[in-house]
Amino acid sequence: MNLSEICIIKRDGKQERFSASKITGAIGKAFEATGLDKHDESIEEITRRVIAHFTGNTVGVEEIQDLVETELMKVQPEVAKKYIIYRQWRNTERERKTHIKHVMDGIVAIDRNDINLSNANMSSHTPAGQMMTFASEITKDYTYKYLLPKPYAEAHQLGDIHIHDLDYYPTKTTTCIQYDLDDLFERGFHTKNGSIRTPQSIQSYATLATIIFQTNQNEQHGGQAIPAFDFFMAKGVLKSFQKIVASMLSFCIEMKGQAVDERTLLEVVRLHVATILLGESEKSALVSVLNGQGFDVTTDELTHILYKAYAQTRKDTHQAMEGFIHNLNTMHSRGGNQVVFSSINYGTDTSAEGRMVIQELLRATVEGLGTRGEVPVFPIQIFKVKDGVSYSDADYERAMKDFDAALAGEMTFEAPNFDLFLQACQTTAKALFPNFMFLDTPFNRHEKWRADDPKRYRYELATMGCRTRVFENLNGEKTSLGRGNLSFTTMNLPRLAIEARIKAESMADNHTSDAVEREAKAIFLDAVREMSGFIAEQLYTRYRYQRTALARQFPFMMGNNVWKGGGQLNPNDEVGDVLDQGTLGIGFIGGHNAMVALYGKGHGHSRKAWNTLYEAVEVMNEVADAYKQKYRLNYSVLATPAEGLSGRFTRMDKRKYGIIEGVNDRDYYVNSFHVDVKEPISIIEKIKSEAPFHALTRGGHITYVELDGEAQKNVRSIAKIVKVMHDENIGYGSINHPVDTCHHCGYKGVIYDKCPICRSENILRMRRITGYLTGDLNSWNSAKRAEEHDRVKHA
């Protein structure tokens, strides 16, 4: 055959003259990728064998590549594997060029697709939302082509891993942060257009907290959290109280005909009024001081003034908390009408001021937004359950004997904030928040925590509402303050299990079910170890890139020392080692689906499956620990909060393996280690099954239970569930239940098809997604809608 007469038919239909060197070059690259060189004779021989199959004067590109695969498999299977992977990746790249056009068309037409609905907190159909989505898709493409090393780009595009927030990769941002508000408020801080002084009232404290949230959100791509909201706001309550007391004293004294220097009077009050609840001896001392300063005030007058000032301070605090909630649900921090992914942790400040903050915050949360009291989506609220502070078994038993009286405040408790715990349960029953963080779970304890430490919050774990956990620290203080997650990447756990099962079935000498399962388990655990190491290296690569960011790229976060250590940098300094206190997350999804792939059963009711999943997460931790030592960075295992990812892996695995019953036959993979959402399992069984995984996923986790009916009518059941979580060493938990509101008449309750009052079908259905709430299921992507539909109510 005359090779010069052969034409190659390209994928676009065009023809070009055949060149054997192109085949030789492609095979040579596959050899190099396998680590083999100096095999010129083998490469030439394979090329000749491929050409020998040609039967006509034309041959297609895909046909040639098939022939190359066939001939390589005969002599060099490992090289063939590299060639196949490279070919698949190149095909994916070509598809992306066509795909990106379809994506852009879908954004322009505001189609209801999973790209436009990838973020339930964003209105992608608005002009700014469209611009955000355009930018996101184009930036991802740029990242694939120019920033990601090829192995990681391939692994992501082929669905082996998912590198989160790829659209923000070029910006070098970190994911999230927990604020030390006390430090920010005491020092003051600056924004682009000016400086902010230390606030002097609870209204200012609450308003500035929202401004900090909003400003810093533009410098990170994930959530923001306040670790000790009650402690940080308490000073604002006291300052308001002192100002009101001074103002009322001034009025009282002037009514007696005395001239008053209000500044001096306020200084006296600030010096001698250290709490909003003064005892009798403190009142007497203040009267003596005032009289000594020439201010004529009696004890009875002061008592009345303090009473009125306390009532006014509570009103001001309520308005401040109401404004805080309203602002965080209306202030847009980015295009697409996105509000801040905000979280607040609280529950352990036992001061009268801190307690007042939380009492009024919870009341404002129950009251809700607007004239019809819609449930607030933000902030995500987390109540910190701490033995002896906000909880005790003795208090729980006492409350259960007469729960209505306990809820009404008609009992006294040994734990000073146990009444707030009950109020938190009542609020959860109405508004789905707060969630619950358990500080005495062994892995959440801090050895430095002391009850008499006024800043003990530094040693209390706090969390992002979505579940991201930042606590342990190789490179500084073990705390949540001033730290955050750098980045995280998720492995496709079901794919590893599917591949393991396929290999085991082809390798097992004895094809009994037990033999195949044993072999599949061994292959699976080895694959988990290998993939965890692969992800750890990818995270390190991203970290090295993030280090090169300049401090001036994050003027608020670094310039104000929000990220601890950033305040020491000059604007043109690289952030470098300042990032070392952040965390790197090795994530996973689809534990249930992976176990079905291996055993035909999920881990909810199969001990064998549960043990294997637990061993897999232990392997991830072994790798994380090894990489902690290798790079001296805070690696951890994360139970991935999958929203956009929930359906991506599933779609890709259906294309690759076909539909496998019980594994990928739905639109989503079940989150992390969670028991299947369709599993008929009791509340206690679910909590007991998932609790041990919390100790292994210190990058973040959450366990939730799904209730049916109106929880607000049975607050006792909420308290019981929280106690079970406490006793079973859950780290972080939440309780889901239907919260529906009729847009037409405002009726609230469990609404099925139509409002029972006005028969309207225009219903707001509040549900939880990956840790936070959304008020419209239509804003969820198809995978998460399918998951919500399948959620079984736990008995």
Side-chain angles (χ1 to χ4, degrees):
M1 179 180 294
N2 188 348
L3 297 183
S4 64
E5 295 179 358
I6 297 176
C7 287
I8 301 299
I9 302 174
K10 300 175 71 175
R11 291 178 180 83
D12 61 3
K14 294 180 181 178
Q15 295 187 9
E16 66 176 32
R17 289 293 177 188
F18 171 73
S19 172
S21 64
K22 290 188 176 181
I23 298 177
T24 302
I27 298 171
K29 288 179 180 178
F31 270 82
E32 290 173 10
T34 317
L36 302 174
D37 56 8
K38 297 182 180 180
H39 283 71
D40 293 346
E41 291 183 9
S42 297
I43 294 169
E44 292 292 342
E45 176 60 26
I46 294 168
T47 302
R48 285 193 291 270
R49 289 183 182 181
V50 169
I51 294 171
H53 288 283
F54 294 178
T55 57
N57 291 330
T58 59
V59 61
V61 169
E62 294 289 344
E63 183 183 349
I64 293 175
Q65 291 182 341
D66 289 342
L67 291 170
V68 172
E69 286 184 16
T70 300
E71 293 303 324
L72 277 172
M73 285 298 295
K74 293 176 182 177
V75 295
Q76 292 284 357
E78 286 302 311
V79 176
K81 182 179 178 182
K82 292 291 183 182
Y83 181 84
I84 291 167
I85 291 172
Y86 176 73
R87 180 184 178 188
Q88 187 177 359
W89 181 72
R90 289 292 298 160
N91 287 338
T92 302
E93 279 291 283
R94 278 187 289 271
E95 288 172 5
R96 276 194 63 80
K97 291 179 180 178
T98 304
H99 172 71
I100 201 74
K101 172 65 164 57
H102 292 310
V103 168
M104 297 297 134
D105 290 344
I107 297 169
V108 170
I110 58 172
D111 290 342
R112 284 190 52 75
N113 57 40
D114 285 349
I115 289 173
N116 286 337
L117 299 176
S118 63
N119 180 351
N121 189 33
M122 186 173 82
S123 302
S124 60
H125 57 272
T126 63
Q130 286 179 300
M131 287 297 293
M132 285 284 291
T133 313
F134 277 131
S136 175
E137 293 304 311
I138 294 298
T139 308
K140 287 177 189 175
D141 196 56
Y142 174 83
T143 302
Y144 291 135
K145 291 177 179 175
Y146 305 112
L147 297 180
L148 274 180
K150 185 179 173 183
Y152 306 134
E154 287 181 357
H156 179 97
Q157 290 180 301
L158 296 176
D160 294 330
I161 64 173
H162 182 87
I163 303 171
H164 292 264
D165 303 295
L166 268 176
D167 47 350
Y168 277 90
Y169 197 109
T171 69
K172 307 177 184 179
T173 63
T174 57
T175 304
C176 54
I177 188 72
Q178 301 231 32
Y179 301 118
D180 184 351
L181 274 193
D182 187 58
D183 181 46
L184 276 172
F185 284 159
E186 289 304 305
R187 287 189 293 107
F189 58 90
H190 61 268
T191 63
K192 180 180 179 181
N193 296 315
S195 298
I196 306 296
R197 294 186 297 273
T198 300
Q200 297 300 319
S201 68
I202 184 56
Q203 291 95 332
S204 295
Y205 270 72
T207 300
L208 289 182
T210 62
I211 290 172
I212 290 168
F213 266 133
Q214 184 184 37
T215 305
N216 201 72
Q217 182 73 76
N218 290 305
E219 297 182 14
Q220 294 191 286
H221 56 254
Q224 325 294 312
I226 298 176
F229 186 73
D230 41 2
F231 282 93
F232 296 152
M233 293 293 114
K235 287 184 179 180
V237 172
L238 180 59
K239 288 179 180 180
S240 285
F241 180 72
Q242 290 167 336
K243 287 168 68 175
I244 294 167
V245 169
S247 177
M248 289 182 172
L249 280 171
S250 176
F251 179 77
C252 175
I253 295 166
E254 286 178 349
M255 288 294 291
K256 297 180 179 181
Q258 288 183 271
V260 178
D261 182 343
E262 293 190 4
R263 180 173 296 181
T264 300
L265 184 58
L266 180 58
E267 288 177 358
V268 170
V269 170
R270 284 176 173 168
L271 188 60
H272 295 278
V273 176
T275 175
I276 59 175
L277 289 176
L278 270 68
E280 293 304 317
S281 61
E282 294 164 314
K283 292 178 188 176
S284 298
L286 181 56
V287 169
S288 297
V289 169
L290 289 169
N291 290 337
Q293 293 278 344
F295 300 124
D296 182 14
V297 179
T298 68
T299 300
D300 287 344
E301 288 170 338
L302 178 62
T303 299
H304 183 70
I305 285 170
L306 292 174
Y307 172 80
K308 298 294 287 185
Y310 183 89
Q312 184 60 51
T313 301
R314 184 173 289 281
K315 288 180 182 178
D316 290 352
T317 302
H318 186 84
Q319 288 181 343
M321 295 303 101
E322 188 177 60
F324 179 73
I325 291 171
H326 278 72
N327 283 336
L328 286 178
N329 284 277
T330 55
M331 286 198 326
H332 299 159
S333 63
R334 290 192 190 135
N337 300 344
Q338 285 191 85
V339 295
V340 182
F341 282 94
S342 53
S343 306
I344 56 175
N345 298 257
Y346 56 76
T348 55
D349 185 355
T350 58
S351 71
E353 297 77 30
R355 284 172 47 78
M356 180 180 282
V357 167
I358 303 311
Q359 288 165 350
E360 299 312 314
L361 173 73
L362 293 172
R363 289 188 180 112
T365 302
V366 169
E367 290 168 6
L369 306 173
T371 57
R372 289 181 174 163
E374 296 96 334
V375 173
V377 172
F378 290 108
I380 303 171
Q381 299 181 36
I382 301 104
F383 186 88
K384 296 192 282 191
V385 179
K386 176 66 179 173
D387 290 351
V389 177
S390 58
Y391 178 84
S392 81
D393 286 334
D395 286 336
Y396 175 84
E397 296 300 330
R398 187 179 298 115
M400 284 297 151
K401 291 177 181 176
D402 190 349
F403 197 77
D404 290 340
L407 209 57
E410 298 171 4
M411 287 185 184
T412 57
F413 302 106
E414 62 181 38
N417 283 358
F418 186 80
D419 59 331
L420 293 183
F421 168 78
L422 294 177
Q423 191 179 349
C425 291
Q426 187 175 36
T427 306
T428 295
K430 176 72 180 294
L432 287 161
F433 285 145
N435 301 335
F436 295 89
M437 167 69 67
F438 300 92
L439 298 185
D440 286 301
T441 294
F443 53 85
N444 284 348
R445 290 177 188 156
H446 198 304
E447 57 280 0
K448 289 186 178 181
W449 189 91
R450 297 288 181 273
D452 59 354
D453 181 356
K455 291 194 174 184
R456 57 189 176 275
Y457 58 80
R458 294 176 298 177
Y459 308 120
E460 294 176 356
L461 173 67
T463 186
M464 305 292 168
C466 65
R467 80 190 62 184
T468 307
R469 180 182 180 276
V470 178
F471 198 40
E472 295 82 11
N473 191 3
L474 287 174
N475 300 306
E477 182 84 276
K478 177 181 174 181
T479 184
S480 295
L481 272 68
R483 303 174 59 214
N485 176 253
L486 300 176
S487 68
F488 62 100
T489 296
T490 296
M491 71 178 72
N492 186 343
L493 207 59
R495 178 175 290 188
L496 299 182
I498 293 168
E499 293 277 3
R501 183 75 193 199
I502 292 171
K503 289 179 183 176
E505 289 175 347
S506 66
M507 292 169 57
D509 295 330
N510 181 357
H511 282 74
T512 64
S513 175
D514 286 346
V516 171
E517 285 181 358
R518 284 194 299 272
E519 187 65 36
K521 175 182 175 181
I523 295 169
F524 172 68
L525 293 178
D526 285 344
V528 169
R529 185 178 301 278
E530 182 179 353
M531 186 58 71
S532 297
F534 181 79
I535 288 174
E537 290 290 0
Q538 179 271 312
L539 292 169
Y540 183 67
T541 299
R542 187 171 188 173
Y543 157 79
R544 296 293 301 174
Y545 180 65
Q546 289 172 303
R547 285 176 57 91
T548 64
L550 302 180
R552 60 186 168 89
Q553 291 180 249
F554 314 107
F556 185 82
M557 183 169 68
M558 295 298 172
N560 288 293
N561 205 39
V562 173
W563 188 287
K564 295 298 185 184
Q568 300 170 14
L569 300 173
N570 293 318
N572 288 320
D573 289 344
E574 290 188 353
V575 294
D577 292 347
V578 168
L579 296 187
D580 287 0
Q581 295 193 57
T583 63
L584 297 166
I586 300 172
F588 66 99
I589 189 174
H592 161 78
N593 310 83
M595 294 308 98
V596 175
L598 290 177
Y599 301 115
K601 295 179 181 178
H603 60 295
H605 284 127
S606 167
R607 194 66 198 176
K608 181 165 52 178
W610 191 95
N611 287 338
T612 298
L613 182 57
Y614 189 84
E615 287 181 55
V617 184
E618 282 186 313
V619 167
M620 296 177 204
N621 274 271
E622 290 170 10
V623 174
D625 288 342
Y627 273 87
K628 282 181 185 178
Q629 300 309 313
K630 181 177 182 179
Y631 292 129
R632 297 301 299 173
L633 294 172
N634 293 302
Y635 282 91
S636 57
V637 177
L638 170 69
T640 296
E643 183 183 349
L645 174 58
S646 180
R648 176 177 179 258
F649 280 164
T650 320
R651 289 191 298 272
M652 300 178 87
D653 287 351
K654 284 179 182 177
R655 289 198 299 267
K656 186 169 185 176
Y657 305 106
I659 294 177
I660 305 172
E661 184 178 356
V663 179
N664 63 6
D665 54 346
R666 300 182 220 163
D667 290 338
Y668 60 92
Y669 282 147
V670 177
N671 254 347
S672 60
F673 55 72
H674 289 182
V675 171
D676 183 15
V677 297
K678 296 183 74 172
E679 189 90 21
I681 191 170
S682 73
I683 289 171
I684 293 177
E685 286 178 314
K686 186 177 193 294
I687 291 171
K688 285 186 173 183
S689 178
E690 295 182 4
F693 290 95
H694 284 222
L696 298 180
T697 50
R698 300 194 187 188
H701 47 244
I702 190 171
T703 281
Y704 71 87
V705 295
E706 196 86 23
L707 304 183
D708 201 356
E710 295 191 43
Q712 61 182 312
K713 295 179 180 178
N714 190 4
V715 180
R716 178 192 291 262
S717 66
I718 300 292
K720 287 182 177 179
I721 293 168
V722 177
K723 175 175 170 50
V724 173
M725 289 182 174
H726 170 275
D727 293 348
E728 293 298 329
N729 287 327
I730 286 288
Y732 177 44
S734 68
I735 300 166
N736 294 346
H737 54 85
V739 176
D740 301 328
T741 304
C742 175
H743 276 302
H744 186 69
C745 71
Y747 172 80
K748 288 185 179 62
V750 179
I751 303 175
Y752 297 98
D753 296 326
K754 298 179 180 179
C755 173
I757 304 301
C758 69
R759 310 305 295 168
S760 171
E761 296 180 0
N762 187 11
I763 309 300
L764 173 72
R765 302 189 185 278
M766 184 69 67
R767 299 294 186 270
R768 193 187 310 274
I769 179 173
T770 71
Y772 66 93
L773 304 182
T774 60
D776 183 0
L777 293 180
N778 290 326
S779 66
W780 291 24
N781 62 55
S782 59
K784 296 309 286 186
R785 286 200 303 272
E787 185 215 286
E788 195 280 335
H789 177 269
D790 288 347
R791 290 178 184 174
V792 167
K793 306 300 184 286
H794 303 122

